[in-house]
Amino acid sequence: MILFTSDYTEGAHPLILEKLQETNFEQTTGYGTDPHCENARRLIREACSAPDADVHFLVGGTQTNATVIASILRPYQGVLCASTGHINAHETGAIEHGGHKCLALPSADGKITAAQIKEAFVEHWADESHEHVVQPGMVYISFPTELGTIYKKSELEAISAVCHECGLPLFLDGARLGYGLVAAEELWGSCGENVTMADLARLCDVFYIGGTKQGALFGEAVVISNPALKKDFRYNIKQGGGMLAKGRLLGIQYETLFSKPGEESLYISMSRNAIRLGGKLRAAFAAKGYPFKVDSPTNQLFPIMDDSTIVRLAENFGFESWGRVDEGHTAVRFCTSWATREEAVDELINAL
Amino acid sequence: MILFTSDYTEGAHPLILEKLQETNFEQTTGYGTDPHCENARRLIREACSAPDADVHFLVGGTQTNATVIASILRPYQGVLCASTGHINAHETGAIEHGGHKCLALPSADGKITAAQIKEAFVEHWADESHEHVVQPGMVYISFPTELGTIYKKSELEAISAVCHECGLPLFLDGARLGYGLVAAEELWGSCGENVTMADLARLCDVFYIGGTKQGALFGEAVVISNPALKKDFRYNIKQGGGMLAKGRLLGIQYETLFSKPGEESLYISMSRNAIRLGGKLRAAFAAKGYPFKVDSPTNQLFPIMDDSTIVRLAENFGFESWGRVDEGHTAVRFCTSWATREEAVDELINAL
Amino acid sequence: MILFTSDYTEGAHPLILEKLQETNFEQTTGYGTDPHCENARRLIREACSAPDADVHFLVGGTQTNATVIASILRPYQGVLCASTGHINAHETGAIEHGGHKCLALPSADGKITAAQIKEAFVEHWADESHEHVVQPGMVYISFPTELGTIYKKSELEAISAVCHECGLPLFLDGARLGYGLVAAEELWGSCGENVTMADLARLCDVFYIGGTKQGALFGEAVVISNPALKKDFRYNIKQGGGMLAKGRLLGIQYETLFSKPGEESLYISMSRNAIRLGGKLRAAFAAKGYPFKVDSPTNQLFPIMDDSTIVRLAENFGFESWGRVDEGHTAVRFCTSWATREEAVDELINAL
Amino acid sequence: MILFTSDYTEGAHPLILEKLQETNFEQTTGYGTDPHCENARRLIREACSAPDADVHFLVGGTQTNATVIASILRPYQGVLCASTGHINAHETGAIEHGGHKCLALPSADGKITAAQIKEAFVEHWADESHEHVVQPGMVYISFPTELGTIYKKSELEAISAVCHECGLPLFLDGARLGYGLVAAEELWGSCGENVTMADLARLCDVFYIGGTKQGALFGEAVVISNPALKKDFRYNIKQGGGMLAKGRLLGIQYETLFSKPGEESLYISMSRNAIRLGGKLRAAFAAKGYPFKVDSPTNQLFPIMDDSTIVRLAENFGFESWGRVDEGHTAVRFCTSWATREEAVDELINAL
C-alpha cells in the first residue's frame, strides 16, 4: 500500500532528526526563549526581508489559525474567508469556539478576490441595520488554498490594497507555503507574477510558514509584519495551548528548514520534490483522460474518477475522497510531498 | 409620518399597561418566582396542551435564541438553520459569541425542509473526516420566518420526524408566533394544515412564544417539552443576562396576553388585526402590479418597487429596504401589527 | 407579609407608568434610536457634566456588566474586582462565559483599594512567567458595593489615578447608584468627600446608572467617558442580547428619572426615601443590640441575629440570609428602597 | 551554567529519538489513527488495568486541561480546584477562554481535600440563590501538585468517593505523573498508601499521563475511564487544536515510554532518576539549614534562601523564583528530571 492521502504521511526530513539528535542533551529554557528559536527567527526574518517582523512558533495549523484570529478580532467581528477555507470547513468550529463567525464568501476554486472582499465590506456598512450583523474584521486566505490553487502576485496585491483601504488585517494561512511558492515560481517566474516570502511579509499583516505538511515533524511559524498586531501575542499563544514547553523543538526544526545546504533553503528545495512529482502525476492523469475537479498546480491533485477505477486503485494506493460529482463519479485527492519517491509515483501511473 | 417599519413601533396593548398599573405596589420576590409568573406559566401550559412543559420568561429574542442554543449544544456542535435565519443573519454573531457555528442551509423563502436537514446530517456522518467538521447538534426554524412565510403542519411534522430520527433537538423561534398561527388558520384551517400551539409543543423540543413583536412591552416565553432539555435551564438564563430582577413584569404581561377577554386569548385576537390589515395591504400591492420578493401570508410584506416610488412613499411612510433587486428596483418591507390602524393602511393604499 | 428582601419588590415609580401610558401609541423606530432615548441621553450628560460622553441603555445588570467587560478586554486579559463583586459572585459566570477571568482581590467590606490594584498590577508584570498568567486588563468596582458600603471621593480619586497610571480602564457598577450618592452626601457632604455623577464621569472610564433597583421597571444607563471605549459599543450591546427592540421604554424611563419635578431629579429624590428609612432601621437594629456583619450606610443592612429571632421575624417579614456567622447566629439582609413605606419600617421595628 | 529551572530543559530519552529515526519513512495515516498510536493505547490500557478505557494523545498540558474540561462541563458550570492549580494560576485563562470559571479552593500545599469538595458542593446547593452562582461541575486535582506534593491512596479514595456522591467527574492532571508515582511508592509502598496507574484509572473519571516533563519530546496521554465522558472526545481535541496531523509522533513516543527494557516501563524507570537525585538534593538543602516553602517529596524542591545566596548560586545554576517570603528571603524552585546528571547535582551541592 502506497499512501498519497496527504503530505503528512512520513516523519521529517533526516536533517531535522539529525539536528534533534545532536542537540538532545543541550539544556535550554522553555517556551521559545532558547537560542535555537532565536536563530530560527533571524533566518526567517532574513528570508522574508522583514527585519522588524515578529516571528512566533506554534504547533499546528488549527491552533495557529484560532490563535491569530483571536488576537485580532473584537468580539462582534468575523473573518472573511472562502467558503472552502480551512477555518470554515475543517477545524471543527475552532474559530466559533473562540467567539467569531466565519464570513464565508462563495468560491469554486478556493480563492477569493479583492472585489469580493470590497463588496462584503461595502454591503456591511451600507446596511442600515449593520449593528445587527457581524462586522467584517479581517480577511483570511490560504496559499496554496485547500484546493491546491495559488494566487498571482497581482491578485495578492489587489487583495492587500483592498484590505488596507478597508482597515481589514490580512492573514495568510501558509500551511503548505513552500509548495505554493515553488509552483508560483515555475508557473509565473518569467512574467513576474510569482510570489516570494518577502512579498507575503510586505502584503500581509500576518502569515505563517507551515512546517507540518512541509517536512517538519510539526510546527508553524507565524510572521507578524503589522506592528499593531504584535502586542502581547505570546499571551494569546499560551492561552490557546500553543506554547510548547520544549519550544526549542520548533526552533531546531525551523533553523534546519531555513538553513541552506545548497543555493537555497532546505524549505524550498524540499518543496521542489513535491511540485515536480505532482506535475508528473498531473500529466499522467490528464493523459489518461481524467478531468479535474479543480485545476491545481501544486502538490494536491483532484482528478475525477469512475467508481470502478477508484475501487481498483484503492487496493494498492491510499488517497482521499473529495466529494461525489455525479452518479458513478467521485473527485479524489492525491498528494505528493517532500518525501514522495519517484518510484511510488511511477507505480501509481502504471496502475492508472 | 406613518411607520410600517416593524411590528414594534408602539408600546403595548392597553390591557397590559392597565395590569401593570394595578399591580404596581404589590410586593413580590424576584427572578420569576412570583405568583404572576406562576399563573402565566399555567395559562401557557393550558394553551399548549402541555401540562408537563417547563415555561420560562426571557426579555428579548436574540437573548432567548442564544440562551436556548447554549443550553443544548456541546462545544463542537452547531445549529442547522436557514441562511436567512435570524440567528445567522441578524444577531451580531451572538451564537458564535457563545461558541457555536450556525450551519446555514440555503433558503429562498426563509424555510428549510426535512430533506435538507436529513441530507446535512447524512453528509456529516458519511464524511470520513467528520471529526474535523462541526457536528450538527440541533435544528432552528422560525415561525413565521424572517421573510414572513409559514410552515404547514405536515411540513413541521416531517421536520420533527427527521429531527427525532437524527437525534437533533428541534427549536422553533416564535418571535411573531401569533401572526403565524392566525395566518395558518386562515389559509389552511379548512384542510387541516393549520398549526396550533399544542402542535408546536408536541412537535418541537423547545419553542418560544414571542411577546415583543406581538403587543407586549417586551418578553419571550420559552416552552420546553423535551424533559432532557429542562435541567438547570434557569442557570443558563441567568448567565445569559435574561433573568429579569422584576420577573413579575413578564408574568403580568403573559397572564394578560393569555387571558381571554372574549372567546379566544388576547394573544390571538391581537394577531388577527395584523393579519387582516396585512391582507388588505397585500391585495392593494398586487392590484397596483407590484411583484413580491417572497410570497408572505403574514404581517410582513415584501413588495418590489422602483426607486422613484420608494422616494415618493418615504416622504410620508416609514418602511425598510430589504435589498436591491436590480438597477432601479428594491425590495422593501412593510409591517402591520396588533396596533396598526385601518386608516393608516388606507392612507398608504391611497398613496401607492 | 412585608418584604425587605430586595430593592426590586415593587413595580416602578408612578410617574414612569404614567409616562408609558401617555406615550403608548406614539410610533417610534426601535433599538434606542427614538427621541425619548435621545432626550434621556441629553439629561444624563447634563447630570454628569459630561457633554461628550456616550450614553447607552441596557436592560439588566448582569447583561450590562458582561457587555461592558467584553467590549474592553482582549482575550487573555481579566478584570480586577473585589472577591465579593457581583461579577465574581452572583452572575453565574457570565464574565467567564464571555471568556474572561475575574481576578478577585480579597475584601471584607466589598471595597478594594488603590493599593491593592497597584500591587496586583506590579506583581503581574514582575512575574517572570507573566505570559502564563491572566493579564489584568481593567478594574471593576461597585458603588455602593454588594455589602452596601461606599467609597469616599478621595478613595475613588486614588483608584482612578492608579488605573490611569497602569493603563487599566476603570468601570463602576452603579446598580444602586442613587442610594450611594445620597448616602455619601449625607455622610460626607460637609467635608467634601461626597461623590456626584460628575465625579464618576470624570474618574471612571465607564460606569452605569442603575434603574432596576432604583425605581424603574428595569434598565441600566451606561455612561462612557473614555473616547477609546466608545467605538462600536452598540454592536456589543446587540451581541450580548441587550438591545431592546422597543428601546424607547428605556428612554421614557430615564427621561422620567432625570426629570426634575422639584429641585432635584426624581432619581435622587426617590433614593432619599430609601436612605432615610434605612437609617431609621439601622438605628433600631443598633438600639436593640444587633451587631452588623458590615457597616453599611446605604439601603442594605446586614444585622447579625440569633436563630430564634430570625424564625420569629420570618413569620411576618421577608429578608435574606447572608451567611452563617457562628453556631446560632446568621447575618441577614434587610433592604429599603424608593418604595418602602414608613409604616412598614415601623412595624418591623416594633417586632424586633 | 547548569539548569535546574524545570524538568523540560533537555530533549527526549535517546530511545525515543531512536524510534523516531527508525520509523521515519513509514507511511501512516494521520490524526492518531496509525498502528503506533493503537499499540501505545494498548500498552497504556494494560498499565492501567483498564481494558475499556479510551486513550487519546494530545500535545501539551494547557491544551489537554482546556480540552478535557470543555468536554465535561455545561456552560454555567465551573471546575473546583486548588487555588494553586495549574488551570487557575498558570494557563493564561485558557479555562475561562473556554467559558468556565475555576472555582478555587484555598490550599497551602497544592492539595485539596474530600472535605473541601463536599463543603463547596453543599454550600452551593444550600444557597437559596444558587442559580446566580457558578455551579460546581467537576473536580480538578494534580498529581504531583504544582508544589511537588502528592496524595496518599486513601486521600484519593476519599476524594473519588465524594466526587461520585456529588456527581462531579474527577479529573487528575498528571503532567508529572511518573515522578509522583515513584515518590509515592518510595514513601508509602510499605504501608499500602502508594498509588498506581490502575488506582488512578479506577478512582478518576479521566486523568492524563504526562510526557513533556517526563522525557518525551512532548505529549500527554488522556485516559478516560468513565464511559459517559467518552462520546465525541475527538471532536473536542480537534476543536481545541490538539489533534496532531502526524499523530504517530505521539504513538511512537508513548509506545517507547511504556515499553519495558527491563522489569518496569521506561516511563517509571526514567522517573526514578529524578526522584533519587531530588532526594539527594533535598537532603543537602536540609543539611545546610535551608527551610522549605513546602515539603515536597518529588522532583520539585522549594528551599527558602537569602538573597545573597541566590545571587551567588545564580552565577552558575539556573532555578526559578517562587515568591518573596520576607525582606531578604525568597522561595526558589529547583527541579530534577529523568535527564539530570548526578555530577550536576553534586556540583550544586558543593556550591550551597
Side-chain angles (χ1 to χ4, degrees):
Chain A
M1 179 68 67
I2 300 176
L3 299 187
F4 290 93
T5 36
S6 74
D7 28 27
Y8 39 91
T9 49
E10 283 87 2
H13 192 280
L15 284 176
I16 284 178
L17 290 189
E18 201 175 286
K19 184 87 174 181
L20 286 176
Q21 191 89 45
E22 183 187 316
T23 58
N24 192 47
F25 282 104
E26 284 181 14
Q27 282 199 314
T28 65
T29 54
Y31 305 114
T33 61
D34 63 280
H36 296 287
C37 284
E38 208 36 71
N39 188 37
R41 285 188 195 101
R42 187 183 54 77
L43 291 169
I44 288 173
R45 282 192 203 99
E46 276 175 27
C48 294
S49 305
D52 296 328
D54 274 8
V55 179
H56 300 277
F57 302 108
L58 284 86
V59 175
T62 294
Q63 179 183 80
T64 303
N65 288 331
T67 302
V68 169
I69 290 169
S71 80
I72 293 177
L73 295 181
R74 296 192 64 188
Y76 53 85
Q77 295 181 320
V79 50
L80 288 165
C81 61
S83 58
T84 51
H86 207 259
I87 56 169
N88 190 48
H90 276 96
E91 301 188 351
T92 320
I95 304 309
E96 289 81 5
H97 187 56
H100 301 290
K101 194 180 188 75
C102 295
L103 301 167
L105 301 172
S107 170
D109 63 356
K111 294 164 63 177
I112 54 174
T113 65
Q116 281 181 295
I117 295 166
K118 182 68 179 283
E119 187 191 351
F121 181 83
V122 167
E123 192 187 334
H124 177 81
W125 291 101
D127 183 347
E128 282 172 28
S129 62
H130 60 82
E131 292 163 343
H132 299 239
V133 181
V134 174
Q135 186 185 99
M138 65 181 292
V139 173
Y140 165 96
I141 56 176
S142 313
F143 187 93
T145 70
E146 295 73 13
L147 292 170
T149 53
I150 52 177
Y151 292 89
K152 290 182 179 175
K153 190 193 288 184
S154 60
E155 292 173 325
L156 288 178
E157 285 172 338
I159 288 174
S160 179
V162 160
C163 285
H164 275 77
E165 184 190 333
C166 300
L168 300 171
L170 175 60
F171 169 39
L172 184 142
D173 173 338
R176 295 183 169 97
L177 187 61
Y179 304 137
L181 297 180
V182 167
E185 182 198 315
E186 297 199 355
L187 274 176
W188 303 314
S190 56
C191 69
E193 281 285 24
N194 62 321
V195 176
T196 65
M197 286 198 196
D199 290 327
L200 297 180
R202 176 174 56 89
L203 297 172
C204 299
D205 295 276
V206 51
F207 74 103
Y208 71 93
I209 302 168
T212 304
K213 295 167 178 169
Q214 292 272 160
L217 289 171
F218 59 89
E220 320 293 322
V222 174
V223 180
I224 308 181
S225 305
N226 181 341
L229 304 183
K230 292 177 180 175
K231 188 161 182 295
D232 289 340
F233 191 74
R234 281 173 56 85
Y235 282 90
N236 283 296
I237 297 176
K238 176 63 188 172
Q239 185 177 62
M243 193 173 279
L244 200 64
K246 294 179 181 169
R248 66 201 251 161
L249 300 176
L250 294 158
I252 289 164
Q253 293 187 84
Y254 273 90
E255 68 185 347
T256 308
L257 290 171
F258 279 78
S259 66
K260 296 191 175 172
E263 295 259 308
E264 60 189 6
S265 72
L266 183 62
Y267 191 76
I268 295 298
S269 64
M270 284 168 80
S271 300
R272 294 205 186 278
N273 183 66
I275 296 306
R276 189 176 65 81
L277 294 178
K280 186 171 185 178
L281 191 51
R282 186 185 314 106
F285 284 136
K288 296 282 181 177
Y290 295 109
F292 291 95
K293 181 187 170 82
V294 72
D295 194 19
S296 158
T298 60
N299 69 316
Q300 302 181 80
L301 303 172
F302 301 89
I304 295 170
M305 295 181 167
D306 57 288
D307 293 352
S308 64
T309 303
I310 289 174
V311 168
R312 183 172 54 78
L313 289 176
E315 284 171 28
N316 297 306
F317 302 95
F319 50 92
E320 290 198 346
S321 168
W322 217 257
R324 204 76 181 145
V325 169
D326 63 33
E327 196 61 40
H329 291 83
T330 297
V332 291
R333 186 181 77 163
F334 287 83
C335 287
T336 58
S337 80
W338 63 278
T340 305
R341 292 168 304 108
E342 182 134 20
E343 308 87 72
V345 171
D346 291 341
E347 218 171 304
L348 171 58
I349 290 174
N350 288 336
L352 287 178
Chain B
M1 178 70 65
I2 300 176
L3 299 188
F4 292 93
T5 37
S6 74
D7 28 26
Y8 39 90
T9 47
E10 284 85 2
H13 192 279
L15 284 176
I16 284 178
L17 290 189
E18 201 174 286
K19 184 88 175 180
L20 286 175
Q21 190 89 45
E22 183 187 316
T23 58
N24 192 47
F25 282 105
E26 283 181 17
Q27 281 199 313
T28 64
T29 53
Y31 306 114
T33 61
D34 63 281
H36 296 288
C37 283
E38 208 36 71
N39 188 38
R41 284 189 195 102
R42 186 182 55 78
L43 292 169
I44 288 173
R45 281 191 203 101
E46 275 175 26
C48 294
S49 304
D52 297 328
D54 275 9
V55 179
H56 300 277
F57 301 107
L58 284 86
V59 175
T62 294
Q63 179 183 81
T64 303
N65 288 331
T67 301
V68 169
I69 289 168
S71 79
I72 292 178
L73 296 180
R74 296 192 63 187
Y76 53 86
Q77 294 182 321
V79 49
L80 288 165
C81 62
S83 57
T84 51
H86 207 257
I87 56 169
N88 190 49
H90 276 96
E91 301 188 350
T92 320
I95 305 308
E96 289 81 5
H97 187 56
H100 301 289
K101 193 180 189 76
C102 295
L103 301 167
L105 301 171
S107 170
D109 64 355
K111 293 164 65 176
I112 54 174
T113 66
Q116 282 181 295
I117 295 166
K118 183 67 180 284
E119 188 191 351
F121 181 83
V122 167
E123 193 187 334
H124 177 81
W125 291 101
D127 184 347
E128 282 171 30
S129 62
H130 58 84
E131 292 163 343
H132 298 238
V133 181
V134 175
Q135 186 184 100
M138 66 181 290
V139 173
Y140 165 96
I141 57 176
S142 313
F143 186 92
T145 69
E146 296 73 14
L147 293 170
T149 54
I150 51 176
Y151 292 89
K152 290 182 180 175
K153 190 194 288 184
S154 60
E155 292 173 325
L156 288 178
E157 284 172 338
I159 288 174
S160 178
V162 159
C163 285
H164 275 76
E165 186 190 332
C166 300
L168 300 171
L170 175 61
F171 169 38
L172 184 143
D173 173 337
R176 294 181 169 98
L177 187 61
Y179 304 137
L181 296 181
V182 167
E185 182 196 315
E186 297 199 355
L187 275 176
W188 304 314
S190 55
C191 70
E193 281 285 24
N194 62 318
V195 176
T196 65
M197 286 198 195
D199 291 327
L200 297 180
R202 176 175 55 89
L203 297 172
C204 300
D205 295 274
V206 51
F207 75 102
Y208 70 93
I209 302 168
T212 304
K213 295 167 179 171
Q214 292 272 160
L217 289 172
F218 60 90
E220 320 292 323
V222 174
V223 180
I224 308 182
S225 304
N226 182 341
L229 305 183
K230 292 176 180 176
K231 189 162 184 289
D232 289 340
F233 191 74
R234 281 174 56 86
Y235 282 89
N236 283 296
I237 297 175
K238 176 62 188 172
Q239 185 177 63
M243 194 174 279
L244 199 64
K246 293 178 181 169
R248 67 200 250 164
L249 299 176
L250 294 159
I252 289 164
Q253 292 186 86
Y254 273 91
E255 67 184 348
T256 307
L257 290 171
F258 278 79
S259 66
K260 296 190 175 174
E263 295 259 308
E264 60 189 7
S265 71
L266 183 62
Y267 191 77
I268 294 300
S269 65
M270 284 168 80
S271 300
R272 294 204 187 279
N273 184 67
I275 296 305
R276 187 176 66 81
L277 294 178
K280 186 170 186 179
L281 191 51
R282 186 184 315 107
F285 285 136
K288 296 281 181 178
Y290 295 109
F292 292 95
K293 180 188 171 81
V294 71
D295 194 20
S296 157
T298 59
N299 70 317
Q300 301 182 79
L301 303 172
F302 300 89
I304 295 171
M305 296 181 165
D306 57 288
D307 293 352
S308 65
T309 303
I310 289 173
V311 168
R312 181 171 56 78
L313 290 176
E315 285 169 27
N316 296 306
F317 302 95
F319 49 93
E320 289 198 346
S321 168
W322 216 257
R324 203 75 179 148
V325 170
D326 62 34
E327 197 59 43
H329 291 83
T330 297
V332 290
R333 186 182 78 164
F334 286 83
C335 287
T336 58
S337 80
W338 63 278
T340 306
R341 293 169 302 109
E342 183 135 19
E343 309 86 73
V345 172
D346 291 339
E347 218 171 305
L348 172 57
I349 289 174
N350 289 335
L352 286 179
Chain C
M1 178 70 64
I2 300 175
L3 300 188
F4 291 92
T5 37
S6 73
D7 28 28
Y8 38 92
T9 48
E10 284 85 2
H13 193 279
L15 284 175
I16 284 178
L17 289 189
E18 200 174 288
K19 184 86 175 181
L20 285 175
Q21 190 89 45
E22 181 188 316
T23 59
N24 192 46
F25 283 105
E26 283 182 17
Q27 282 199 312
T28 64
T29 54
Y31 306 114
T33 61
D34 64 280
H36 296 288
C37 283
E38 208 36 71
N39 188 38
R41 285 188 194 100
R42 187 183 53 78
L43 291 169
I44 289 173
R45 282 193 202 100
E46 276 176 27
C48 294
S49 305
D52 297 327
D54 275 7
V55 179
H56 300 275
F57 301 107
L58 284 87
V59 175
T62 294
Q63 180 182 81
T64 302
N65 288 331
T67 301
V68 169
I69 289 168
S71 80
I72 293 177
L73 295 180
R74 295 192 66 187
Y76 52 85
Q77 294 181 323
V79 49
L80 289 166
C81 61
S83 57
T84 51
H86 208 257
I87 57 169
N88 190 49
H90 275 97
E91 301 189 352
T92 320
I95 304 310
E96 289 81 6
H97 187 56
H100 302 290
K101 194 179 188 76
C102 295
L103 301 167
L105 301 171
S107 170
D109 64 356
K111 294 164 64 176
I112 53 175
T113 65
Q116 282 181 294
I117 295 166
K118 183 67 180 284
E119 187 191 353
F121 181 84
V122 167
E123 191 187 336
H124 176 81
W125 291 101
D127 183 346
E128 282 172 30
S129 62
H130 60 82
E131 292 163 342
H132 297 240
V133 181
V134 175
Q135 187 185 98
M138 65 183 289
V139 172
Y140 165 96
I141 57 175
S142 313
F143 185 94
T145 69
E146 296 73 13
L147 292 171
T149 52
I150 51 177
Y151 293 89
K152 290 182 180 173
K153 190 194 289 185
S154 60
E155 292 172 324
L156 289 178
E157 283 172 338
I159 288 175
S160 179
V162 159
C163 285
H164 275 77
E165 184 190 335
C166 300
L168 300 171
L170 175 60
F171 169 39
L172 183 143
D173 173 338
R176 295 184 168 96
L177 187 60
Y179 304 137
L181 297 180
V182 167
E185 183 197 314
E186 297 199 354
L187 275 175
W188 304 313
S190 56
C191 70
E193 280 285 24
N194 62 319
V195 176
T196 65
M197 287 198 196
D199 290 327
L200 297 181
R202 175 174 57 88
L203 296 172
C204 300
D205 295 274
V206 50
F207 74 103
Y208 70 93
I209 302 167
T212 304
K213 295 167 178 170
Q214 291 273 160
L217 290 172
F218 59 90
E220 319 294 322
V222 174
V223 180
I224 308 181
S225 304
N226 182 340
L229 304 183
K230 293 177 179 175
K231 189 162 184 290
D232 291 339
F233 191 74
R234 280 173 57 85
Y235 282 89
N236 283 298
I237 297 176
K238 175 64 188 171
Q239 185 176 64
M243 195 175 277
L244 199 63
K246 293 179 182 170
R248 68 202 248 161
L249 301 176
L250 294 157
I252 289 164
Q253 293 186 85
Y254 273 91
E255 66 185 349
T256 308
L257 291 171
F258 279 78
S259 66
K260 296 191 175 169
E263 295 260 308
E264 59 190 6
S265 71
L266 183 61
Y267 190 77
I268 295 299
S269 65
M270 284 167 80
S271 300
R272 294 205 186 278
N273 184 67
I275 296 306
R276 187 177 65 83
L277 294 177
K280 186 170 187 178
L281 191 50
R282 185 184 315 106
F285 285 136
K288 296 280 180 179
Y290 296 108
F292 293 94
K293 180 188 171 80
V294 72
D295 194 20
S296 158
T298 60
N299 69 317
Q300 302 180 79
L301 303 172
F302 301 89
I304 295 171
M305 295 180 167
D306 58 288
D307 294 352
S308 65
T309 304
I310 289 174
V311 168
R312 182 172 55 78
L313 289 176
E315 284 170 29
N316 297 307
F317 302 95
F319 49 93
E320 292 198 345
S321 168
W322 218 258
R324 204 75 180 146
V325 170
D326 62 33
E327 198 59 43
H329 292 83
T330 298
V332 290
R333 186 182 77 164
F334 286 82
C335 288
T336 58
S337 80
W338 61 278
T340 305
R341 291 169 304 109
E342 182 134 19
E343 309 86 74
V345 172
D346 291 341
E347 220 170 301
L348 172 57
I349 290 173
N350 289 334
L352 286 179
Chain D
M1 177 70 66
I2 300 175
L3 300 188
F4 290 92
T5 38
S6 73
D7 28 28
Y8 39 92
T9 48
E10 284 85 2
H13 192 279
L15 284 176
I16 284 178
L17 290 188
E18 201 174 286
K19 183 87 174 181
L20 286 175
Q21 190 90 42
E22 182 187 316
T23 58
N24 192 46
F25 283 105
E26 283 181 16
Q27 283 198 313
T28 64
T29 53
Y31 305 114
T33 62
D34 64 280
H36 295 289
C37 283
E38 208 36 71
N39 187 39
R41 284 188 195 102
R42 187 182 54 77
L43 292 168
I44 288 172
R45 282 192 202 98
E46 276 175 27
C48 294
S49 304
D52 296 327
D54 275 8
V55 179
H56 300 276
F57 301 107
L58 284 87
V59 175
T62 294
Q63 179 183 80
T64 301
N65 288 332
T67 301
V68 168
I69 289 168
S71 81
I72 292 178
L73 295 181
R74 295 192 66 187
Y76 52 85
Q77 294 180 322
V79 49
L80 289 166
C81 62
S83 57
T84 51
H86 208 257
I87 57 170
N88 190 49
H90 275 96
E91 301 189 352
T92 321
I95 303 310
E96 289 81 6
H97 187 55
H100 301 290
K101 194 179 189 75
C102 294
L103 300 167
L105 301 171
S107 171
D109 64 356
K111 294 164 63 177
I112 53 175
T113 66
Q116 282 181 294
I117 295 167
K118 183 68 180 283
E119 187 190 352
F121 181 84
V122 167
E123 191 186 335
H124 177 81
W125 291 101
D127 183 346
E128 282 172 30
S129 63
H130 59 83
E131 292 163 344
H132 298 239
V133 181
V134 175
Q135 186 185 98
M138 65 182 290
V139 172
Y140 164 96
I141 57 175
S142 314
F143 186 93
T145 70
E146 296 71 13
L147 292 171
T149 53
I150 51 177
Y151 292 89
K152 289 183 182 174
K153 190 194 289 185
S154 60
E155 291 173 325
L156 289 178
E157 284 172 339
I159 288 174
S160 178
V162 160
C163 285
H164 274 76
E165 185 190 332
C166 300
L168 300 171
L170 175 60
F171 169 39
L172 183 144
D173 173 337
R176 296 182 167 97
L177 187 61
Y179 303 137
L181 296 181
V182 167
E185 183 198 312
E186 297 199 356
L187 275 176
W188 303 313
S190 56
C191 70
E193 281 283 25
N194 62 319
V195 176
T196 66
M197 287 200 197
D199 291 327
L200 297 180
R202 175 174 58 88
L203 297 172
C204 300
D205 295 274
V206 50
F207 74 103
Y208 70 94
I209 302 168
T212 303
K213 295 167 179 170
Q214 291 273 158
L217 289 171
F218 59 90
E220 319 294 322
V222 174
V223 180
I224 309 181
S225 304
N226 182 341
L229 304 183
K230 293 177 179 176
K231 188 162 184 291
D232 291 339
F233 191 74
R234 281 173 57 84
Y235 282 89
N236 283 299
I237 298 176
K238 176 63 188 170
Q239 185 176 62
M243 194 174 278
L244 199 64
K246 293 178 182 169
R248 68 201 249 160
L249 300 176
L250 294 158
I252 289 163
Q253 293 186 84
Y254 272 91
E255 66 185 349
T256 308
L257 290 171
F258 279 79
S259 66
K260 295 190 177 173
E263 295 259 308
E264 60 189 7
S265 71
L266 183 61
Y267 191 78
I268 295 299
S269 64
M270 284 168 80
S271 300
R272 293 204 188 279
N273 184 67
I275 296 307
R276 188 177 64 82
L277 295 177
K280 187 171 186 177
L281 191 50
R282 185 184 316 107
F285 285 136
K288 296 281 181 179
Y290 295 109
F292 292 95
K293 180 189 172 78
V294 71
D295 193 19
S296 158
T298 60
N299 70 315
Q300 301 181 79
L301 303 172
F302 301 90
I304 295 170
M305 295 181 165
D306 58 287
D307 294 351
S308 64
T309 303
I310 289 174
V311 168
R312 181 172 55 76
L313 288 176
E315 284 169 28
N316 297 305
F317 302 95
F319 50 92
E320 291 198 344
S321 168
W322 217 257
R324 203 76 180 146
V325 169
D326 63 33
E327 198 60 42
H329 291 84
T330 298
V332 291
R333 186 182 76 164
F334 287 82
C335 287
T336 57
S337 80
W338 61 279
T340 305
R341 292 170 304 107
E342 182 135 19
E343 309 85 74
V345 173
D346 290 342
E347 219 170 302
L348 172 58
I349 290 173
N350 289 335
L352 286 178

